[in-house]
Amino acid sequence: MKLGRPYTVRGQTYVPTDDPNYDQIGEASWYGNQEQGNHTASGETFYRQRPSAAHKTLPLPSYVEVTRLDTGQRILVRVNDRGPFARDRILDLSKEAADELGIVRAGRAMVRVRRVTPKSRDRDKLRRGYPVVLSSVAPTATPPRTGRVAPYIAPTVQQPVAVAPSPEPLYTPPQAYTAPPQRRIVVATPADPDAADALAASLTSEGAQVQPTANGYRVVTGPYSDDASLSAALARLRARGYQGAAVIDATQPQEPNGTP
C-alpha cells in the first residue's frame, strides 16, 4: 500500500491520505473503454472486466464498500487508480464494478463509499479480478454521516395542580422578553455540494436547507420552538432511515460562515 505525493490536476491539488474512517456520499460513474490495458496510478494493468475503482486520495491499493442509494445494492471494490477529476463525482468504477452495481446504462448513480478491511479471501478474489457482491440494504436517499445520535425528546404533559390563590401585589415589575428556544436537526454533513443539494431536495417536506461549514456542508431542518414539533420531526427522519440526526441549538452565536 502506498499514498504517493500530493498532485495537481486542472489546477486542483489533491493530498493522498490514509483515512481508515473514510465514509462519503456522492456520485459514482464508470470508466474503462479508453484505458483498457493502460497502467493505473498504482502501476497495475487496468482491465475493465475486473472490479476496481479510482479515487482521488485513498491509499493504493485499498478497499471500499460501495452502496447504491436508490436500490441498496452493495459491492466491494479494490481502489488501484486515481480519479475521477470531475467536481461532481467521488468515485470512478471499472465497467465490471459498474455492471455489478447496475449503473452502466445510466452512467452514474448516487452512492455511499466507505473504506473497509475485507476478509483475506475477499481481498484475494478482488486481486484476482473476481467480484465480491454483498447483501443489499434498504434503499435510502442519502445515509446520515453525523457522528452522534440525538436523544429522542418525548413531549411532556403536565397535569394541572391546584394552587391556592395569593393576594395580588400592589406592583408587578415588567418581565424581560425571552425568545423561545430555536433548535434545528442536522440530518447529514456531506463534503460534496451536489450530495448536500440532493439530500435537501429529498427532504423538502421537512423544510431542509443546505448550510456551508468549515469542512463542507450540512443539511438541517427546522428551527423548532417546542419539544413536540422537534420530537415529531426526529421520529419522521428516523422512520426514513436517518438514525444519526442530531439536535443543535440554532440560537447560539455563529461563525461568519454560518456554522455554530
Side-chain angles (χ1 to χ4, degrees), residues 210-218 253-260:
V210 177
Q211 296 179 346
T213 68
N215 299 318
Y217 303 87
R218 69 182 184 184
Q254 294 190 343
E255 299 176 356
N257 67 358
T259 305

Side-chain angles (χ1 to χ4, degrees), residues 166-174:
S166 58
E168 295 184 1
L170 297 178
Y171 172 73
T172 303

Side-chain angles (χ1 to χ4, degrees), residues 27-98:
E27 274 196 334
S29 187
W30 64 275
Y31 74 122
N33 290 336
Q34 296 181 349
E35 291 79 8
Q36 178 77 357
N38 293 338
H39 290 296
T40 67
S42 63
E44 302 174 359
T45 301
F46 177 81
Y47 296 105
R48 64 185 180 186
Q49 302 92 342
R50 295 182 177 182
S52 62
H55 190 274
K56 302 180 186 75
T57 58
L58 286 176
L60 302 178
S62 56
Y63 299 87
V64 294
E65 174 193 88
V66 185
T67 305
R68 180 173 169 178
L69 302 187
D70 59 347
T71 64
Q73 293 170 269
R74 292 190 304 161
I75 61 172
L76 286 178
V77 294
R78 186 169 180 266
V79 178
N80 67 352
D81 204 1
R82 289 290 179 225
F85 300 113
R87 185 185 67 86
D88 61 344
R89 297 205 304 274
I90 63 171
L91 193 73
D92 262 355
L93 300 168
S94 66
K95 185 175 184 298
E96 172 62 29

Side-chain angles (χ1 to χ4, degrees), residues 23 103 186 197 243:
D23 188 350
I103 67 171
V186 178
D197 289 339
Q243 299 298 323

Side-chain angles (χ1 to χ4, degrees), residues 131-164:
V132 177
V133 180
L134 307 175
S135 58
S136 296
V137 297
T140 179
T142 306
R145 295 188 60 254
T146 50
R148 63 187 180 91
V149 177
Y152 178 75
I153 303 176
T156 58
V157 179
Q158 296 182 347
Q159 299 296 328
V161 178
V163 179

